[in-house]
Amino acid sequence: MEIKVMKNILGENDRIAAENRKFFGEKKIFVLNLMGSPGSGKTSLLEKTLEKLSGKIKIAVIEGDLFTAKDAQRIENIGVQVVQINTSGGCHLDAQMVKRAAESLNLDEINLLIVENVGNLVCPAEFDVGENLKAVVLSITEGDDKPLKYPLIFKESAITLLNKIDLIPFTNFNLESAREDLMTLHPNLKIIETSCTKNIGVDEFCAWLLEKVGEVN
Amino acid sequence: MEIKVMKNILGENDRIAAENRKFFGEKKIFVLNLMGSPGSGKTSLLEKTLEKLSGKIKIAVIEGDLFTAKDAQRIENIGVQVVQINTSGGCHLDAQMVKRAAESLNLDEINLLIVENVGNLVCPAEFDVGENLKAVVLSITEGDDKPLKYPLIFKESAITLLNKIDLIPFTNFNLESAREDLMTLHPNLKIIETSCTKNIGVDEFCAWLLEKVGEVN
């Protein structure tokens, strides 16, 4: 009984996600679903990326959190159009939430929409919100065992950002072994090492985004 | 419809959790449900704690992960009885999983059972597994905004371990503000600052555990 209802929920989510994808496609907007653990650095990376892409393309952001509008305030502070979704305890964004949030944005002339999901390395990977591609941020401080322990999110994502790479001397993170595990899980995965505080890899991430935006235009 | 079924699932979980609690209570075992984000340092903290408590009390561990037995291997390596639960993608442990895992352990003469939950700051807080108390590990590297963004897990937990405290000089974590937010959410919360690499706070955590074990005997 529970399984049947769960399938219905997912089926309904997929139906709305497909509608979202069609809507964004017609508007020629590339949509990235940005995922990762709490504190992996999603919002900081987003801030740096938005600053660097300013003037090059027009961007809007949907921020997902259980509670608070802290992240949306950070994005708004740098002059980017943003809307906050509060899930009130819910552990992931779903397609319906993104649909409603998108309706509240002015998406005319927007080229790139970044959806920052709830901080969670498990559940967001299971829910299509109508994005073109998924990205996952893994902080060095989380440990090199995470890809094999949380494989779905790395399999589903087109790109993994190995963030806080500047903290590697203070951890026992084995970069070679993490890269090997990631490539085993997902041979075509794009991997970029990033650090917001040391400005590492953010240009490469911006170039990747610009390439993807170019593909939908 | 979906909400009704969700209530049934939680109702069934609560029924089994109550059975677990009765079972552990009769055996005079104190059960701690240890939660936190992926990479917050739950297993490392557990290793240090088990080493320090060795010879003082008898301990068993249940390890929860989506996949792999990496964490259980680490616990077994230090000579503690352990069983691994793999949720195959499930984002939290439930009472039925803990019941089955407990059945596979020899709990005679055990004083303390630590259940290390799936790495996730959201879902585990919603599921009673029959523990006496919940604990949450928050790594300094996750950021000081996490208590207000993920309030339930901090409200549900009797104790918060502010882990990787040695990394504070390399982050912008505001300890005073984090402590203030935690006390606002949960005025009776016990907070301990910990570091496994610098051996900070582990003795205090062990003393707290010994006190709790004493209370059920």
Coordinates of all heavy atoms in Angstrom, one line a residue, chain A residues 1-2 5 8-9 37-40 42-43 65-68 70-71 74 89-91 116 118-123 126 139 141-146 148-152 164 166-167 170-171 181 197, chain B residues 1-2 5 8-9 37-40 42-43 65-68 70-71 74 89-91 116 118-123 126 139 141-146 148-152 164 166-167 170-171 181 197:
Chain A
M1 N 0.8 -1.2 0.0 CA 0.0 0.0 0.0 C 0.9 1.3 0.0 O 0.7 2.1 -0.9 CB -0.9 0.0 1.2 CG -1.8 1.2 1.4 SD -3.1 1.4 0.1 CE -3.8 2.9 0.6
E2 N 1.8 1.3 1.0 CA 2.7 2.5 1.0 C 3.4 2.7 -0.3 O 3.6 3.8 -0.8 CB 3.7 2.4 2.2 CG 3.0 2.5 3.5 CD 2.6 1.1 4.1 OE1 2.6 0.2 3.3 OE2 2.3 1.1 5.3
V5 N 1.4 4.2 -3.1 CA 1.2 5.6 -3.0 C 2.4 6.4 -3.3 O 2.4 7.4 -4.0 CB 0.6 5.9 -1.6 CG1 0.6 7.4 -1.4 CG2 -0.7 5.3 -1.4
N8 N 2.8 6.8 -6.8 CA 1.9 7.8 -7.3 C 2.5 9.2 -7.1 O 2.4 10.0 -8.0 CB 0.5 7.7 -6.6 CG -0.2 6.5 -7.1 OD1 0.2 5.9 -8.1 ND2 -1.3 6.1 -6.5
I9 N 3.1 9.4 -5.9 CA 3.7 10.7 -5.6 C 4.8 11.0 -6.6 O 4.8 12.1 -7.2 CB 4.2 10.7 -4.2 CG1 3.1 10.6 -3.2 CG2 5.0 12.0 -3.9 CD1 3.6 10.4 -1.7
S37 N 25.4 18.4 0.7 CA 25.1 18.3 2.1 C 24.9 19.7 2.7 O 25.4 20.7 2.1 CB 26.3 17.7 2.8 OG 26.5 16.4 2.5
P38 N 24.3 19.8 3.9 CA 24.3 21.1 4.6 C 25.8 21.5 4.8 O 26.6 20.7 5.2 CB 23.7 20.7 6.0 CG 22.9 19.5 5.7 CD 23.7 18.7 4.7
G39 N 26.1 22.8 4.5 CA 27.4 23.3 4.7 C 28.5 22.9 3.7 O 29.6 23.1 4.0
S40 N 28.1 22.3 2.6 CA 29.1 21.9 1.6 C 29.6 23.1 0.9 O 30.6 23.1 0.3 CB 28.5 20.9 0.6 OG 27.3 21.4 0.0
K42 N 27.3 25.3 -1.0 CA 26.5 25.6 -2.2 C 26.2 27.1 -2.4 O 26.4 27.7 -3.5 CB 25.1 24.9 -2.1 CG 25.2 23.4 -2.1 CD 23.8 22.7 -2.0 CE 23.1 23.0 -0.7 NZ 23.8 22.5 0.5
T43 N 25.8 27.8 -1.3 CA 25.4 29.2 -1.5 C 26.6 30.1 -1.7 O 26.6 31.0 -2.5 CB 24.6 29.7 -0.2 OG1 23.6 28.7 0.1 CG2 24.0 31.0 -0.5
D65 N 15.1 25.8 1.2 CA 15.5 25.6 2.6 C 14.3 25.1 3.4 O 13.2 25.4 3.1 CB 16.1 26.9 3.2 CG 17.6 27.0 3.0 OD1 18.3 26.1 3.3 OD2 17.9 28.1 2.4
L66 N 14.6 24.4 4.5 CA 13.5 24.0 5.4 C 12.8 25.2 6.0 O 11.6 25.3 6.0 CB 14.1 23.1 6.5 CG 14.4 21.6 6.2 CD1 15.6 21.5 5.3 CD2 14.5 20.8 7.4
F67 N 13.7 26.1 6.5 CA 13.2 27.3 7.2 C 14.2 28.4 6.8 O 15.3 28.2 6.3 CB 13.1 27.1 8.7 CG 12.2 26.0 9.1 CD1 12.7 24.8 9.4 CD2 10.9 26.2 9.2 CE1 11.9 23.7 9.8 CE2 10.0 25.2 9.6 CZ 10.5 24.0 9.9
T68 N 13.8 29.6 7.2 CA 14.6 30.9 7.0 C 14.8 31.3 5.5 O 14.6 30.5 4.6 CB 16.1 30.8 7.6 OG1 17.0 30.2 6.7 CG2 16.1 30.1 8.9
K70 N 17.7 33.0 4.8 CA 19.1 33.5 4.9 C 19.8 33.4 3.5 O 20.5 34.3 3.2 CB 19.8 32.6 5.9 CG 19.5 32.9 7.4 CD 20.1 31.8 8.3 CE 19.8 32.1 9.7 NZ 20.8 33.0 10.4
D71 N 19.6 32.3 2.8 CA 20.3 32.1 1.6 C 19.8 33.1 0.5 O 20.6 33.7 -0.2 CB 20.2 30.7 1.1 CG 21.1 29.7 2.0 OD1 21.8 30.3 2.8 OD2 21.0 28.5 1.8
R74 N 21.2 36.4 0.9 CA 22.6 36.5 0.4 C 22.7 36.7 -1.1 O 23.5 37.5 -1.6 CB 23.4 35.2 0.8 CG 23.7 35.1 2.3 CD 24.2 33.8 2.7 NE 25.5 33.5 2.0 CZ 26.1 32.3 2.2 NH1 25.6 31.4 3.0 NH2 27.3 32.0 1.6
G89 N 10.3 21.9 6.8 CA 10.8 20.6 7.3 C 11.0 19.6 6.2 O 11.7 18.6 6.5
G90 N 10.4 19.8 5.1 CA 10.6 18.8 4.0 C 12.0 18.7 3.5 O 12.7 19.7 3.5
C91 N 12.5 17.5 3.2 CA 13.9 17.2 3.0 C 14.4 17.4 1.6 O 15.6 17.1 1.3 CB 14.2 15.8 3.4 SG 13.1 14.6 2.6
E116 N 18.9 26.0 -6.0 CA 19.7 25.5 -4.9 C 18.8 24.7 -4.0 O 17.9 25.2 -3.4 CB 20.4 26.6 -4.1 CG 21.3 25.9 -3.1 CD 22.0 26.9 -2.1 OE1 22.2 28.1 -2.4 OE2 22.3 26.5 -1.0
V118 N 17.6 21.8 -1.0 CA 17.7 21.7 0.4 C 19.1 20.9 0.7 O 19.4 20.0 -0.1 CB 16.6 20.8 1.0 CG1 16.8 20.5 2.5 CG2 15.3 21.6 0.8
G119 N 19.8 21.3 1.7 CA 21.1 20.7 2.1 C 20.8 19.2 2.5 O 20.4 19.0 3.6
N120 N 21.2 18.3 1.7 CA 20.8 16.9 1.9 C 21.5 16.1 0.8 O 21.2 16.3 -0.4 CB 19.3 16.7 1.9 CG 18.8 15.3 2.3 OD1 19.5 14.4 2.1 ND2 17.6 15.2 2.8
L121 N 22.3 15.1 1.2 CA 23.0 14.3 0.1 C 22.2 13.1 -0.3 O 22.7 12.3 -1.1 CB 24.4 13.9 0.7 CG 25.6 13.7 -0.2 CD1 25.8 14.9 -1.1 CD2 26.8 13.4 0.6
V122 N 21.0 13.0 0.2 CA 20.2 11.8 -0.1 C 19.0 12.1 -0.9 O 18.9 11.9 -2.1 CB 19.8 11.0 1.2 CG1 19.1 9.7 0.8 CG2 20.9 10.8 2.1
C123 N 18.0 12.7 -0.3 CA 16.6 12.8 -0.9 C 16.5 13.6 -2.2 O 15.8 13.3 -3.1 CB 15.6 13.3 0.1 SG 15.8 12.5 1.7
E126 N 16.5 12.1 -5.7 CA 15.4 11.3 -6.2 C 14.3 12.0 -6.8 O 13.4 11.4 -7.4 CB 14.8 10.5 -5.0 CG 15.8 9.5 -4.4 CD 15.2 8.9 -3.1 OE1 14.0 8.7 -3.0 OE2 16.0 8.5 -2.2
S139 N 32.0 18.8 -0.1 CA 33.1 19.5 0.6 C 34.2 18.5 1.0 O 33.9 17.4 1.5 CB 32.5 20.3 1.8 OG 33.6 20.5 2.7
T141 N 35.9 18.6 3.5 CA 35.7 18.3 5.0 C 34.7 17.2 5.3 O 34.7 16.7 6.4 CB 35.3 19.6 5.8 OG1 34.1 20.1 5.2 CG2 36.4 20.7 5.7
E142 N 33.9 16.8 4.3 CA 33.0 15.7 4.5 C 33.6 14.4 4.4 O 33.0 13.4 4.9 CB 31.9 15.8 3.4 CG 31.0 17.0 3.6 CD 29.9 17.1 2.5 OE1 29.1 16.2 2.3 OE2 30.0 18.1 1.7
G143 N 34.8 14.3 3.8 CA 35.5 13.0 3.8 C 35.4 12.3 2.4 O 34.4 12.5 1.7
D144 N 36.5 11.5 2.1 CA 36.5 10.9 0.7 C 35.7 9.7 0.6 O 35.6 9.1 -0.5 CB 38.0 10.7 0.4 CG 38.7 9.8 1.4 OD1 38.0 9.1 2.1 OD2 39.9 10.0 1.6
D145 N 35.1 9.2 1.7 CA 34.2 8.0 1.6 C 32.8 8.3 1.1 O 32.0 7.4 0.9 CB 34.2 7.3 2.9 CG 33.7 8.2 4.1 OD1 33.7 9.5 3.9 OD2 33.3 7.7 5.1
K146 N 32.5 9.6 0.9 CA 31.1 10.0 0.6 C 30.6 9.5 -0.7 O 29.4 9.1 -0.8 CB 30.9 11.5 0.8 CG 31.1 11.9 2.3 CD 30.3 11.1 3.3 CE 30.6 11.4 4.7 NZ 32.0 10.9 5.2
L148 N 31.0 6.7 -2.4 CA 30.5 5.3 -2.4 C 29.4 5.2 -1.3 O 28.6 4.3 -1.5 CB 31.7 4.4 -2.0 CG 32.7 4.2 -3.1 CD1 33.7 3.1 -2.7 CD2 32.1 4.0 -4.5
K149 N 29.3 6.0 -0.3 CA 28.3 5.9 0.7 C 27.0 6.5 0.2 O 25.9 6.2 0.7 CB 28.7 6.5 2.0 CG 29.8 5.6 2.7 CD 30.3 6.3 3.9 CE 29.4 6.3 5.1 NZ 30.1 6.9 6.3
Y150 N 27.1 7.5 -0.7 CA 25.9 8.2 -1.2 C 25.9 8.2 -2.7 O 25.9 9.3 -3.3 CB 25.8 9.7 -0.7 CG 25.8 9.7 0.9 CD1 27.0 9.7 1.6 CD2 24.6 9.8 1.6 CE1 27.0 9.7 3.0 CE2 24.6 9.9 3.0 CZ 25.8 9.8 3.6 OH 25.8 9.8 5.0
P151 N 25.9 7.0 -3.3 CA 26.2 7.0 -4.8 C 25.2 7.6 -5.7 O 25.5 8.2 -6.7 CB 26.3 5.5 -5.1 CG 25.5 4.8 -3.9 CD 25.7 5.7 -2.7
L152 N 23.9 7.6 -5.3 CA 22.9 8.0 -6.3 C 23.1 9.5 -6.7 O 23.0 9.8 -7.9 CB 21.4 7.9 -5.7 CG 20.3 8.3 -6.6 CD1 20.2 7.4 -7.8 CD2 19.0 8.4 -5.9
K164 N 35.9 23.6 -1.1 CA 36.8 23.8 0.1 C 38.1 23.1 -0.1 O 38.7 22.5 0.9 CB 36.1 23.4 1.4 CG 34.7 24.0 1.6 CD 34.2 23.9 3.0 CE 32.7 24.2 3.0 NZ 32.1 24.1 4.3
D166 N 40.9 24.1 -0.5 CA 42.0 24.8 0.2 C 42.2 24.2 1.6 O 43.2 24.3 2.2 CB 41.7 26.3 0.3 CG 40.4 26.6 1.0 OD1 39.4 26.1 0.4 OD2 40.4 27.2 2.0
L167 N 41.1 23.4 2.1 CA 41.2 22.9 3.5 C 41.9 21.5 3.4 O 42.0 20.8 4.5 CB 39.8 22.8 4.1 CG 39.2 24.2 4.5 CD1 37.8 24.0 5.1 CD2 40.1 25.0 5.4
F170 N 44.4 20.2 6.0 CA 43.9 20.0 7.4 C 43.0 18.8 7.6 O 42.4 18.6 8.6 CB 43.2 21.3 7.9 CG 43.9 22.5 7.6 CD1 43.5 23.4 6.6 CD2 45.1 22.8 8.3 CE1 44.3 24.6 6.3 CE2 45.8 24.0 8.0 CZ 45.4 24.9 7.0
T171 N 42.9 18.0 6.5 CA 42.1 16.8 6.6 C 42.9 15.6 6.1 O 44.0 15.7 5.6 CB 40.8 16.9 5.6 OG1 41.3 16.9 4.3 CG2 40.1 18.3 5.8
D181 N 36.7 6.8 -7.2 CA 35.4 6.3 -6.8 C 34.3 7.1 -7.6 O 33.4 6.4 -8.1 CB 35.1 6.6 -5.3 CG 35.9 5.6 -4.4 OD1 36.5 4.7 -4.9 OD2 36.0 5.9 -3.2
T197 N 37.1 30.8 -0.9 CA 38.0 31.7 -0.2 C 39.2 31.9 -1.0 O 39.8 33.0 -0.9 CB 38.3 31.2 1.2 OG1 38.8 29.8 1.1 CG2 37.1 31.2 2.1
Chain B
M1 N -4.9 11.9 1.0 CA -4.6 10.5 0.8 C -3.2 10.2 1.2 O -2.9 9.4 2.0 CB -4.9 10.1 -0.7 CG -4.5 8.6 -1.0 SD -5.6 7.4 -0.2 CE -5.0 5.9 -0.9
E2 N -2.2 10.9 0.6 CA -0.8 10.7 0.9 C -0.6 10.9 2.4 O 0.2 10.2 3.0 CB 0.1 11.6 0.0 CG 0.2 11.3 -1.4 CD -0.9 12.0 -2.2 OE1 -1.8 12.6 -1.6 OE2 -0.8 12.1 -3.4
V5 N -1.7 8.1 4.7 CA -0.7 6.9 4.6 C 0.5 7.2 5.4 O 1.1 6.4 6.1 CB -0.5 6.5 3.2 CG1 0.6 5.4 3.1 CG2 -1.7 6.0 2.5
N8 N 0.0 6.7 8.9 CA 0.0 5.3 9.2 C 1.5 4.8 9.3 O 1.8 4.0 10.2 CB -0.7 4.5 8.2 CG -2.2 4.7 8.3 OD1 -2.7 5.3 9.2 ND2 -3.0 4.3 7.3
I9 N 2.3 5.2 8.4 CA 3.7 4.7 8.4 C 4.4 5.2 9.7 O 5.0 4.4 10.4 CB 4.5 5.3 7.2 CG1 4.0 4.7 5.9 CG2 6.0 5.0 7.4 CD1 4.6 5.4 4.7
S37 N 25.0 15.5 9.7 CA 25.2 15.6 8.2 C 26.3 14.6 7.8 O 27.1 14.1 8.6 CB 25.8 17.0 7.8 OG 24.8 17.9 8.0
P38 N 26.3 14.2 6.5 CA 27.4 13.4 6.0 C 28.7 14.2 6.3 O 28.8 15.4 6.0 CB 27.2 13.4 4.5 CG 25.7 13.7 4.3 CD 25.3 14.6 5.4
G39 N 29.7 13.5 6.8 CA 31.0 14.1 7.0 C 31.1 15.0 8.2 O 32.1 15.7 8.4
S40 N 30.1 15.0 9.1 CA 30.2 15.9 10.3 C 31.1 15.3 11.3 O 31.6 16.0 12.2 CB 28.8 16.0 10.9 OG 28.2 14.8 11.2
K42 N 30.7 11.9 12.7 CA 30.0 11.0 13.6 C 30.9 9.7 13.9 O 31.1 9.4 15.1 CB 28.7 10.5 13.1 CG 27.7 11.6 12.9 CD 26.3 11.1 12.4 CE 26.4 10.6 10.9 NZ 26.9 11.6 10.0
T43 N 31.4 9.1 12.9 CA 32.1 7.8 13.1 C 33.5 8.1 13.8 O 33.8 7.3 14.7 CB 32.3 7.1 11.7 OG1 31.1 7.1 11.0 CG2 32.8 5.7 12.0
D65 N 23.9 3.2 7.1 CA 24.4 3.8 5.9 C 23.5 3.4 4.7 O 22.9 2.3 4.8 CB 25.8 3.4 5.6 CG 26.8 4.3 6.3 OD1 26.7 5.5 6.1 OD2 27.7 3.8 7.1
L66 N 23.5 4.2 3.7 CA 22.8 3.8 2.5 C 23.4 2.6 1.9 O 22.7 1.6 1.5 CB 22.8 5.0 1.4 CG 21.8 6.1 1.7 CD1 22.3 7.0 2.8 CD2 21.7 6.9 0.4
F67 N 24.7 2.6 1.7 CA 25.5 1.5 1.1 C 26.8 1.4 1.8 O 27.1 2.3 2.6 CB 25.7 1.8 -0.4 CG 24.5 1.9 -1.2 CD1 24.0 3.2 -1.5 CD2 23.8 0.8 -1.7 CE1 22.8 3.4 -2.3 CE2 22.6 1.0 -2.4 CZ 22.2 2.3 -2.7
T68 N 27.5 0.4 1.6 CA 28.9 0.1 2.1 C 28.8 -0.3 3.6 O 27.9 0.0 4.4 CB 29.9 1.2 2.0 OG1 29.8 2.1 3.0 CG2 29.8 1.9 0.6
K70 N 31.7 0.4 5.4 CA 32.9 1.1 5.8 C 32.9 1.5 7.2 O 33.9 1.3 7.9 CB 33.1 2.4 4.9 CG 33.5 2.1 3.5 CD 33.4 3.4 2.7 CE 33.8 3.2 1.2 NZ 35.3 3.4 1.0
D71 N 31.8 2.1 7.7 CA 31.8 2.5 9.1 C 31.8 1.4 10.1 O 32.5 1.4 11.1 CB 30.6 3.4 9.3 CG 30.7 4.8 8.6 OD1 31.8 5.1 8.1 OD2 29.7 5.5 8.6
R74 N 35.3 0.1 10.6 CA 36.1 1.0 11.4 C 35.8 0.7 12.9 O 36.7 0.7 13.7 CB 35.8 2.5 11.1 CG 36.3 2.9 9.8 CD 35.8 4.3 9.4 NE 36.2 5.4 10.3 CZ 35.8 6.6 10.2 NH1 35.1 7.0 9.2 NH2 36.2 7.5 11.1
G89 N 19.7 3.2 0.0 CA 19.2 4.5 -0.6 C 18.2 5.2 0.4 O 18.0 6.4 0.2
G90 N 17.7 4.5 1.4 CA 16.8 5.1 2.3 C 17.5 6.2 3.2 O 18.7 6.0 3.5
C91 N 16.9 7.3 3.5 CA 17.5 8.5 4.0 C 17.6 8.5 5.5 O 18.0 9.5 6.1 CB 16.8 9.7 3.5 SG 15.0 9.7 3.8
E116 N 24.3 4.8 15.1 CA 24.8 5.9 14.2 C 23.9 5.9 13.0 O 23.9 5.0 12.2 CB 26.3 5.7 13.8 CG 26.7 6.9 13.0 CD 28.1 6.9 12.4 OE1 29.0 6.2 12.9 OE2 28.3 7.5 11.4
V118 N 22.0 7.4 9.4 CA 22.4 7.8 8.1 C 22.8 9.3 8.2 O 22.2 10.1 8.9 CB 21.2 7.6 7.1 CG1 21.5 8.2 5.8 CG2 20.9 6.1 7.0
G119 N 23.8 9.7 7.4 CA 24.3 11.1 7.4 C 23.2 12.0 6.7 O 23.1 11.9 5.5
N120 N 22.5 12.8 7.5 CA 21.4 13.5 7.0 C 20.9 14.4 8.1 O 20.6 13.9 9.2 CB 20.3 12.5 6.5 CG 19.1 13.2 5.9 OD1 18.8 14.4 6.2 ND2 18.4 12.5 5.0
L121 N 20.8 15.7 7.9 CA 20.5 16.6 9.0 C 18.9 16.8 9.0 O 18.4 17.6 9.8 CB 21.2 18.0 8.8 CG 21.5 18.8 10.0 CD1 22.3 18.1 11.0 CD2 22.3 20.1 9.5
V122 N 18.2 16.1 8.2 CA 16.8 16.4 8.1 C 16.0 15.1 8.6 O 15.4 15.1 9.7 CB 16.3 16.7 6.6 CG1 14.9 17.2 6.6 CG2 17.2 17.8 6.1
C123 N 15.9 14.1 7.7 CA 15.0 13.0 7.9 C 15.1 12.2 9.2 O 14.1 11.8 9.9 CB 15.0 12.1 6.7 SG 15.0 13.0 5.2
E126 N 13.0 12.8 12.3 CA 11.6 12.5 12.4 C 11.2 11.1 12.8 O 10.0 10.8 13.0 CB 11.0 12.8 11.0 CG 11.1 14.3 10.6 CD 10.7 14.5 9.1 OE1 9.8 13.7 8.6 OE2 11.2 15.4 8.5
S139 N 29.4 19.9 12.4 CA 30.8 20.2 12.1 C 30.9 21.7 11.9 O 30.0 22.4 11.3 CB 31.3 19.5 10.9 OG 32.4 20.1 10.4
T141 N 32.7 23.2 10.0 CA 32.9 23.5 8.6 C 31.5 23.6 7.9 O 31.4 24.0 6.7 CB 33.7 22.4 7.9 OG1 33.1 21.2 8.1 CG2 35.1 22.4 8.4
E142 N 30.4 23.2 8.6 CA 29.1 23.2 7.9 C 28.5 24.7 8.0 O 27.6 25.0 7.3 CB 28.1 22.3 8.6 CG 28.4 20.8 8.4 CD 27.5 19.9 9.1 OE1 26.3 19.9 8.9 OE2 28.0 19.1 10.0
G143 N 29.0 25.5 8.9 CA 28.5 26.9 9.0 C 27.6 27.1 10.2 O 26.9 26.2 10.6
D144 N 27.7 28.3 10.7 CA 26.9 28.6 11.9 C 25.4 28.9 11.7 O 24.7 29.1 12.6 CB 27.5 29.8 12.7 CG 27.7 31.0 11.7 OD1 26.9 31.2 10.8 OD2 28.6 31.8 12.0
D145 N 25.0 28.9 10.4 CA 23.6 29.1 10.1 C 22.8 27.8 10.2 O 21.5 27.9 10.0 CB 23.5 29.7 8.7 CG 24.1 28.9 7.6 OD1 24.9 28.0 7.9 OD2 23.8 29.1 6.4
K146 N 23.4 26.7 10.4 CA 22.7 25.4 10.3 C 21.6 25.2 11.4 O 20.6 24.7 11.1 CB 23.7 24.2 10.3 CG 24.6 24.3 9.0 CD 23.8 24.4 7.7 CE 24.6 24.6 6.5 NZ 25.2 26.0 6.4
L148 N 19.4 27.2 12.8 CA 18.1 27.9 12.4 C 17.6 27.3 11.1 O 16.4 27.3 10.9 CB 18.3 29.4 12.3 CG 18.6 30.1 13.6 CD1 18.4 31.6 13.4 CD2 17.6 29.7 14.7
K149 N 18.5 26.8 10.2 CA 18.0 26.2 8.9 C 17.5 24.8 9.1 O 16.7 24.4 8.3 CB 19.1 26.3 7.9 CG 19.4 27.7 7.4 CD 20.6 27.8 6.5 CE 20.3 27.3 5.1 NZ 21.5 27.5 4.2
Y150 N 18.0 24.1 10.1 CA 17.6 22.7 10.3 C 17.1 22.5 11.8 O 17.7 21.8 12.5 CB 18.7 21.7 10.0 CG 19.2 21.9 8.6 CD1 20.1 22.9 8.2 CD2 18.7 21.0 7.5 CE1 20.6 23.0 6.9 CE2 19.2 21.2 6.2 CZ 20.1 22.2 5.9 OH 20.5 22.3 4.6
P151 N 16.1 23.3 12.2 CA 15.8 23.4 13.7 C 15.4 22.1 14.3 O 15.7 21.8 15.5 CB 14.7 24.4 13.7 CG 14.1 24.5 12.4 CD 15.2 24.1 11.4
L152 N 14.6 21.2 13.6 CA 14.0 20.1 14.2 C 15.1 19.2 14.9 O 14.9 18.7 16.1 CB 13.2 19.2 13.2 CG 12.5 18.0 13.9 CD1 11.4 18.4 14.9 CD2 11.9 17.1 12.8
K164 N 34.9 19.2 15.0 CA 36.0 19.8 14.2 C 36.3 21.3 14.7 O 36.6 22.2 13.9 CB 35.7 19.8 12.7 CG 35.3 18.4 12.2 CD 35.2 18.3 10.7 CE 34.5 17.0 10.3 NZ 34.4 16.8 8.8
D166 N 38.7 22.5 16.0 CA 40.1 22.9 15.7 C 40.2 23.6 14.4 O 41.1 24.3 14.1 CB 41.0 21.7 15.7 CG 40.6 20.6 14.8 OD1 39.4 20.1 14.9 OD2 41.3 20.2 13.8
L167 N 39.1 23.4 13.5 CA 39.2 24.1 12.2 C 38.6 25.5 12.2 O 38.5 26.1 11.2 CB 38.4 23.2 11.2 CG 39.1 21.8 10.8 CD1 38.3 21.1 9.8 CD2 40.5 22.0 10.3
F170 N 40.0 28.5 10.3 CA 40.0 28.4 8.9 C 38.6 28.7 8.3 O 38.4 28.5 7.1 CB 40.6 27.1 8.4 CG 41.9 26.7 9.0 CD1 41.9 25.7 10.0 CD2 43.0 27.4 8.7 CE1 43.1 25.4 10.6 CE2 44.2 27.1 9.3 CZ 44.3 26.1 10.3
T171 N 37.7 29.0 9.2 CA 36.3 29.2 8.7 C 35.8 30.6 9.3 O 36.5 31.2 10.1 CB 35.3 28.2 9.3 OG1 35.2 28.4 10.7 CG2 35.9 26.8 9.0
D181 N 21.8 30.7 18.9 CA 20.7 30.1 18.2 C 20.3 28.7 18.7 O 19.1 28.4 18.8 CB 21.1 29.9 16.7 CG 21.3 31.2 16.0 OD1 20.7 32.2 16.5 OD2 21.9 31.2 14.9
T197 N 40.8 15.1 16.2 CA 42.3 15.2 15.9 C 43.0 15.8 17.0 O 44.2 15.5 17.3 CB 42.5 15.9 14.5 OG1 41.8 17.2 14.6 CG2 42.0 15.2 13.3

